[in-house]
Amino acid sequence: IMMLSSEGSLSHAISEWGRTATTYFESIDACHICFCVLTEGGAIAQLNCANCKCAFHSECVAKWFATSHKAIC
């Protein structure tokens, strides 16, 4: 399968794909510990840090607090 842009070049098509992927992923929030996608209303609860305002899976932040011996991020 050949990937070509409207201009017909592979390098331009790859560049266009990169811009599209970057735009898509900028709108997705990820857990700042495991870097997996956070979903609203999903099976895994998410928490927002009162200090840095970052979002985390509740399991990730609980494990981080338990193993880092710190009370804040």
Side-chain angles (χ1 to χ4, degrees):
I1 297 175
M2 190 172 233
M3 184 174 146
L4 297 176
S5 72
S6 58
E7 290 186 8
S9 73
L10 180 59
S11 63
H12 189 263
I14 292 171
S15 179
E16 285 181 9
W17 177 84
R19 282 192 298 276
T20 301
T22 299
T23 301
Y24 175 77
F25 286 109
E26 284 176 347
S27 65
I28 295 176
D29 292 326
C31 174
H32 281 72
I33 295 173
C34 72
F35 301 106
C36 290
V37 174
L38 293 168
T39 58
E40 289 188 34
I44 301 174
Q46 68 184 49
L47 303 170
N48 290 342
C49 176
N51 187 40
C52 70
K53 309 298 184 220
C54 291
F56 307 96
H57 293 114
S58 57
E59 282 186 12
C60 292
V61 78
K63 184 176 180 180
W64 185 79
F65 283 141
T67 59
S68 71
H69 307 291
K70 295 181 182 182
I72 61 170
C73 69

